[in-house]
Amino acid sequence: VNQVANMTLVSSACDMVSTAYASTKESHPYIRSVCDAAEKGVKSVTEATASCVQPVLTTLEPHVAAASEYASKGLDKLGEKLPLLQKPVEQIISDTKELVSSRVADAKDAVSS
């Protein structure tokens, strides 16, 4: 999970969502109260679940470690094959706009000639 969260694409997308969420809460008082209540509920459920799940996780720890190692290797290979994952969302959007603009310009030139 940490390895996925540290991918540039994922972390920049999370930052964008977090910023939008905070901005929305700040701008709309009714939404803020709903979000605050939801956050408190999630926190309570998380705390209650963590205490119940901990004994199970301790028992499964060797299996989780093996699965984590396997997943880590897979993510490393994925990162090699998809360099897009190492770019921030803003750069991907910008690159896509440039590519589309270039293709449209090429098409215009072809039609006009």
Side-chain angles (χ1 to χ4, degrees):
V1 172
N2 287 333
Q3 191 172 357
V4 171
N6 288 329
M7 289 180 171
T8 305
L9 176 63
V10 174
S11 65
S12 69
C14 288
D15 289 344
M16 287 178 70
V17 170
S18 177
T19 300
Y21 178 77
S23 174
T24 301
K25 276 180 64 174
E26 186 66 32
S27 302
H28 305 285
Y30 296 117
I31 292 176
R32 180 184 322 129
S33 61
V34 170
C35 290
D36 288 344
E39 289 170 14
K40 287 178 185 173
V42 168
K43 183 178 178 184
S44 298
V45 168
T46 302
E47 290 170 353
T49 304
S51 63
C52 296
V53 172
Q54 190 58 47
V56 175
L57 289 178
T58 302
T59 305
L60 296 175
E61 189 172 353
H63 304 292
V64 171
S68 180
E69 184 177 336
Y70 182 74
S72 179
K73 289 177 183 176
L75 286 170
D76 288 342
K77 287 183 181 181
L78 186 64
E80 291 170 11
K81 294 187 185 281
L82 293 174
L84 182 74
L85 295 173
Q86 303 308 323
K87 293 182 178 182
V89 172
E90 296 85 1
Q91 184 178 357
I92 294 170
I93 291 170
S94 174
D95 291 350
T96 303
K97 285 180 181 178
E98 287 178 27
L99 179 63
V100 169
S101 178
S102 172
R103 299 291 187 219
V104 169
D106 290 347
K108 281 184 182 178
D109 291 346
V111 170
S112 66
S113 64

